[in-house]
């Protein structure tokens, strides 16, 4: 049942979890995807299935600051670990201090926006500085495993939009 799911995700019976369990309405949602990585240097550097992008975390205004967001993120961690995901990624508006704190508390770290791979990924999603009415976003990640698998780039002149990619079979094939 819905209530059992909340209880099992929280792993504890604190007052916040009990409050959420006694209500019969949706407190929030979390969405994830892998297609954002398609044709990006980040996606090509990581094995298929090893990364997941959180596209949306939404919590009902009447349940904010009750632990609902924390429970949603814990649920995402459980799902991702079951799917053998190594790293979770998300973007957050730099002015959304509550969300930034929530993600940091959940173990997410801000990635260096000057890193070409992360910069290209953020630009591909049109979340680079100023792209959305002057807003700025942090790209954050959470490592779920002790080590992450990275593939080397085929050459220093590679770009994710390069026409040298011929196809995907769970790995990338490049022309020499």
């Amino acid at each position: 049942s819905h209530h059992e799911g909340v209880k099992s995700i929280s792993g504890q019976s604190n007052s916040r979890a009990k409050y959420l369990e006694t209500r019969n309405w949706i407190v929030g949602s979390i969405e994830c995807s892998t297609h954002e990585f398609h044709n990006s240097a980040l996606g090509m550097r990581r094995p298929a299935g090893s990364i997941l992008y959180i596209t949306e975390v939404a919590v009902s205004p009447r349940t904010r600051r009750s632990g609902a967001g924390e429970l949603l993120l814990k649920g995402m961690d459980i799902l991702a670990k079951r799917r053998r995901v190594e790293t979770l990624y998300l973007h957050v508006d730099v002015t959304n201090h509550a969300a930034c704190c929530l993600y940091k508390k959940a173990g997410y770290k801000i990635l260096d926006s000057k890193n070409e791979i992360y910069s290209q990924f953020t630009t591909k999603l049109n979340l680079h500085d100023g792209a959305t009415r002057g807003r700025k976003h942090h790209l954050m990640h959470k490592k779920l495993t002790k080590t992450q698998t990275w593939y080397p780039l085929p050459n220093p002149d590679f770009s994710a939009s390069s026409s040298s990619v011929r196809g995907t079979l769970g790995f990338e094939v490049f022309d020499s």
Side-chain angles (χ1 to χ4, degrees), residues 62-92:
R62 63 182 174 180
T63 59
R64 289 185 184 150
R65 313 293 297 169
S66 70
E70 188 177 339
L71 291 174
L72 288 167
L73 291 171
K74 284 181 181 180
M76 180 56 64
D77 288 354
I78 291 167
L79 172 69
K81 286 175 183 176
R82 285 182 183 162
R83 296 184 71 180
R84 294 185 172 91
V85 170
E86 296 176 350
T87 314
L88 293 169
Y89 291 91
L90 60 82
H91 278 93
V92 60

Side-chain angles (χ1 to χ4, degrees), residues 82-141:
R82 285 182 183 162
R83 296 184 71 180
R84 294 185 172 91
V85 170
E86 296 176 350
T87 314
L88 293 169
Y89 291 91
L90 60 82
H91 278 93
V92 60
D93 188 311
V94 299
T95 62
N96 189 341
H97 301 294
C100 289
C101 288
L102 171 69
Y103 298 138
K104 287 178 182 177
K105 183 178 176 184
Y108 288 81
K109 297 188 180 346
I110 297 171
L111 292 165
D112 182 2
S113 63
K114 293 176 184 157
N115 179 305
E116 190 175 324
I117 291 174
Y118 302 136
S119 173
Q120 185 266 345
F121 179 65
T122 296
T123 301
K124 178 186 177 296
L125 297 180
N126 205 31
L127 293 172
H128 54 287
D129 290 353
T132 53
R133 289 180 252 137
R135 294 170 50 193
K136 296 182 179 186
H137 296 84
H138 290 307
L139 175 60
M140 301 181 80
H141 81 295

Side-chain angles (χ1 to χ4, degrees), residues 1-14:
S1 85
H2 165 72
H3 304 300
E4 291 170 348
V6 171
K7 191 172 189 178
S8 66
I9 290 171
S10 70
Q12 54 188 329
S13 58
N14 62 31

Side-chain angles (χ1 to χ4, degrees), residues 37 40-52 83-89 117-118 141-153 170-172:
F37 300 111
S40 74
L42 178 57
M44 291 180 182
R45 294 280 318 270
R46 302 295 304 272
S50 71
I51 52 179
L52 197 57
R83 296 184 71 180
R84 294 185 172 91
V85 170
E86 296 176 350
T87 314
L88 293 169
Y89 291 91
I117 291 174
Y118 302 136
H141 81 295
K142 181 176 183 177
K143 296 177 180 179
L144 300 176
T145 57
K146 288 184 182 182
T147 60
Q148 285 70 52
T149 308
W150 286 85
Y151 296 140
L153 285 175
F171 59 90
E172 301 300 326

